[in-house]
Amino acid sequence: MKKLMIILVLVFAYQAQAQILSKSSYRFESEPLSGLKSNSITDIVVVDKDTIWVGTGKGVSKTEDGGQTWLTFTEKQGIGKGGVSAIAVKDSLVWVATAFDSVILGEHQAVGGGLSYSTDYGKTWTHIPQPLPFGNWTIVNNVTYDIAIIDSTIWIASFGGGLMKSSDMGKTWMVRPPDGYNFNPDEYLSHRVFSLLAVNDTLWVGTAGGINVSYDGGETWPTEMMFTHQHGDFPISGNFVVALGLQKLQGKQVIWAATINAEE
């Protein structure tokens, strides 16, 4: 009986120690990881000369000393599954989108991993499942490729999901096509959105059908502010607009667009 009690005590002590180690390990894993964890870079946001956010194939990383040291946030720290497909930063607010690869019916498909946001510059994260334009929509090929922030409204550009916005930190989402048509990405290439640029209340949207612009935070979309390769005195170089950027010069601002051919 005495030997049995000793064995039981030892087993209990071992189990208790294992639980403590497991719990400590969990707390350790919830802390950001030191250094960059991937050499695949998908997005870069420069906040200032010392602070930079980098989206990678293995999480989102930040430096606050010009790249000398890095902290990396992954699924273990609260962001979505997969590699980072988009980042947006405004003050202490950081939004991150992720995507991962899945084999469906024998073919590799891109799947939206959802969105994650931090209101304290990365210390804590809240994850949101991939927003869907309608209840029966799918996350397959619904990947968020860009994010823009205008005041308290979050805009996302999702292939297969269109242009969507949320004014309640991702609790609800509204589809907002950058023209006057009902959302139909099969019919309208301009509903397949890939890139965003917010300049004050002006929202630039790059799609597979060109560039659309709203001067009032997405409320209206003037037809004269639709730019394609086929129209205008100074047409853009291609209708498939995969990136937009702002260059500030003395006395003016310049908008840059990276494009490829869409259908032709």
Side-chain angles (χ1 to χ4, degrees):
M1 177 64 71
K2 186 175 181 181
K3 290 183 178 180
L4 179 60
M5 289 180 64
I6 293 175
I7 292 174
L8 288 174
V9 170
L10 288 175
V11 170
F12 176 78
Y14 174 79
Q15 289 177 339
Q17 184 181 20
Q19 290 175 353
I20 294 172
L21 288 174
S22 176
K23 189 174 180 181
S24 298
S25 177
Y26 174 78
R27 287 201 300 266
F28 175 75
E29 288 181 347
S30 67
E31 295 296 320
L33 307 175
S34 177
L36 284 167
K37 300 304 175 183
S38 173
N39 60 359
S40 174
I41 306 299
T42 55
D43 203 355
I44 300 175
V45 175
V46 178
V47 179
D48 53 46
K49 65 183 181 67
D50 293 320
T51 306
I52 303 169
W53 287 83
V54 176
T56 79
K58 294 182 180 179
V60 60
S61 304
K62 76 169 181 178
T63 177
E64 295 180 332
D65 54 13
Q68 297 299 313
T69 60
W70 294 86
L71 290 177
T72 295
F73 307 90
T74 68
E75 191 176 0
K76 294 180 180 179
Q77 286 74 47
I79 71 170
K81 176 182 178 180
V84 173
S85 55
I87 311 172
V89 181
K90 185 177 182 181
D91 301 324
S92 62
L93 180 61
V94 183
W95 278 81
V96 175
T98 59
F100 58 93
D101 184 71
S102 181
V103 178
I104 301 174
L105 298 177
E107 295 184 0
H108 288 270
Q109 303 285 351
V111 178
L115 299 162
S116 305
Y117 69 84
S118 173
T119 59
D120 50 17
Y121 219 59
K123 293 180 181 179
T124 59
W125 294 89
T126 299
H127 179 66
I128 299 169
Q130 183 67 32
L132 305 177
F134 304 106
N136 61 349
W137 218 255
T138 175
I139 61 175
V140 178
N141 287 325
N142 184 5
V143 175
T144 298
Y145 287 106
D146 212 349
I147 307 172
I149 304 173
I150 298 181
D151 297 326
S152 60
T153 300
I154 309 301
W155 292 86
I156 60 173
S158 302
F159 180 74
L163 179 65
M164 304 181 70
K165 71 173 185 177
S166 174
S167 299
D168 54 10
M169 295 299 287
K171 294 179 181 178
T172 59
W173 294 88
M174 177 186 297
V175 181
R176 195 70 174 93
D179 49 36
Y181 302 108
N182 293 326
F183 178 64
N184 189 340
D186 292 329
E187 183 174 357
Y188 304 111
L189 293 178
S190 57
H191 293 184
R192 305 180 188 182
V193 292
F194 292 91
S195 52
L196 300 173
L197 176 63
V199 184
N200 299 322
D201 288 336
T202 301
L203 182 64
W204 297 75
V205 182
T207 76
I211 300 174
N212 297 72
V213 186
S214 172
Y215 287 115
D216 51 13
E219 293 297 322
T220 59
W221 302 87
T223 56
E224 66 271 16
M225 294 303 295
M226 296 174 61
F227 304 97
T228 69
H229 178 65
Q230 290 81 9
H231 302 93
D233 296 331
F234 301 97
I236 60 177
S237 53
N239 283 349
F240 194 157
V241 183
V242 296
L244 292 164
L246 172 67
Q247 180 185 13
K248 295 182 179 181
L249 299 175
Q250 187 173 4
K252 65 178 179 179
Q253 296 179 328
V254 178
I255 305 297
W256 287 87
T259 77
I260 57 176
N261 293 346
E263 291 184 309
E264 301 174 357

